[in-house]
Amino acid sequence: MIKGTTKILGVIGDPIEHSLSPIMHNAAISHLGVDYIYLPLRIKPADLATALAGFTAIGVQGFNVTIPHKQAILPLLTEITPLAQAVGAVNTVYPVATGWGGTNTDVPGFLAPLHNLNNIDKNWSQKVALILGYGGAARAVVAGCAELGCAEIHVVGRQAEKLTNFQQSWVNSALPAKLNLQVHPWDNLPNLIPKADLLVNTTPVGMYPHIDQSPLEMALIQLIQPGTIVYDLIYRPKPTLLLHEAAHQGALAIDGLEMLVQQGAVALNLWLGRPIPVDIMSASLQMALKSRD
Ligand code: NAP
């Protein structure tokens, strides 16, 4: 119930109508019985600074940030965590004495399903990560693989100049962990796939409604070794064609839903300072996605 005392959380973006965050956050808020509401807030790029000043004026307690504001918000924050600095993007903002602080919960969100895997050797310092794509999500995945301490991180993309820029962007990074990062053209995949212990798709290829597409053609999927962890950041469809075929090869498949839930749970925990019902958030999302199919 919204009362005179209800505190405001939310997510800013443009567009924002598609966001699933209000569904999962309000499900958790309702389950916890806390006096908060989480709102979708459409903010045009030109209005970002005005919106932040307004949030201060009305006492907003925190908010998530999505496209197109994840980088643009950096200069408007008075504190930025080293992790968000390294990733170069903020997705979670909280009030601090000097204004607003920002962090990036996509990194712990990406890592949570890997930490939760049972029956795998978790000696990441011996493992090779292979990442398809070099966009925004790939930056959180690289930071996550660095935090795991992966022996090698290989990023594959289709445009040489963007690959070089991506590699350059990590030189002098604020990451606490050392980074053994190499970039490659798509043609190198036949050499890279057989030695990958963790293969992550950060491209949108295979996302609904293009469910019959895969970032890897069948001949490449067949090079995936049994036991490889194949992690697709896409959460619709569940599973993607890539995950379906990789599982046939004996791979361990992880889809993007848990990352989505966990990045939200880390943010909500930061704002509320109490344990978050992750299962409730996950169930609300699965129900919402089912109703969209
Ligand atoms: P983005 O910044 O636009 O990056 C997309 C990347 O995919 C770019 O490197 C792009 O390369 C590459 N790409 C696109 N089409 C390709 C193709 N046909 N072949 C090879 N590479 C291709 O997008 P993003 O924000 O990183 O998001 C990427 C995906 O991750 C989306 O599906 C998104 O829904 C998902 N995601 C999930 C979560 C989660 O919580 N589960 C969080 C964030 C993102 P070019 O520049 O060369 O086109």
Side-chain angles (χ1 to χ4, degrees), residues 12-290:
I12 64 166
D14 183 24
I16 201 64
E17 296 78 9
H18 65 286
S19 175
L20 293 166
S21 294
I23 292 169
M24 64 173 174
H25 282 284
N26 286 316
I29 286 168
S30 159
H31 181 83
L32 289 169
V34 290
D35 192 13
Y36 283 83
I37 186 157
Y38 184 103
L39 299 171
L41 301 163
R42 183 175 177 195
I43 310 288
K44 292 194 197 114
D47 295 332
L48 188 57
T50 314
L52 257 68
F55 290 174
T56 303
I58 62 171
V60 167
Q61 301 289 302
F63 57 95
N64 285 125
V65 184
T66 187
I67 292 167
H69 305 310
K70 281 184 164 191
Q71 285 91 32
I73 200 161
L74 291 170
L76 301 173
L77 304 173
T78 51
E79 288 178 20
I80 300 169
T81 60
L83 185 62
Q85 267 165 14
V87 175
V90 157
N91 79 331
T92 301
V93 175
Y94 44 92
V96 291
T98 49
W100 294 103
T103 190
N104 191 306
T105 68
D106 281 336
V107 181
F110 164 71
L111 289 174
L114 295 172
H115 290 317
N116 292 343
L117 277 180
N118 291 319
N119 305 325
I120 67 147
D121 163 23
K122 293 203 176 147
N123 187 1
W124 291 98
S125 68
Q126 304 293 317
K127 293 198 194 297
V128 173
L130 174 58
I131 301 167
L132 309 178
Y134 39 45
R139 301 194 66 80
V141 172
V142 166
C145 291
E147 197 169 311
L148 287 172
C150 289
E152 297 170 27
I153 302 172
H154 300 272
V155 173
V156 179
R158 55 183 178 173
Q159 296 185 56
E161 196 183 337
K162 283 193 181 178
L163 273 174
T164 309
N165 291 344
F166 186 87
Q167 183 156 42
Q168 276 303 315
S169 72
W170 293 96
V171 175
N172 303 325
S173 103
L175 284 178
K178 98 173 167 34
L179 199 61
N180 181 2
L181 174 73
Q182 295 167 50
V183 296
H184 309 265
W186 214 258
D187 295 350
N188 278 12
L189 281 171
N191 302 321
L192 294 166
I193 291 174
K195 65 174 193 169
D197 300 292
L198 169 66
L199 192 161
V200 188
N201 175 38
T202 77
T203 80
V205 184
M207 186 161 66
Y208 179 88
H210 305 291
I211 60 173
D212 55 351
Q213 294 181 7
S214 160
L216 298 180
E217 60 200 56
M218 255 330 274
L220 289 175
I221 293 178
Q222 282 164 358
L223 298 176
I224 296 172
Q225 301 300 299
T228 304
I229 302 166
V230 178
Y231 192 155
D232 197 334
L233 299 200
I234 296 171
Y235 46 82
R236 193 179 180 212
K238 190 175 162 59
T240 56
L241 180 60
L242 170 65
L243 289 187
H244 183 264
E245 296 298 333
H248 267 288
Q249 288 291 122
L252 274 171
I254 303 178
D255 65 52
L257 193 77
E258 197 178 343
M259 173 176 171
L260 183 65
V261 172
Q262 295 280 356
Q263 63 76 28
V266 174
L268 198 56
N269 173 264
L270 185 73
W271 298 321
L272 302 187
R274 60 166 71 202
I276 300 303
V278 176
D279 293 352
I280 299 285
M281 295 177 83
S282 181
S284 70
L285 273 192
Q286 294 194 42
M287 209 190 296
L289 286 170
K290 218 173 247 171

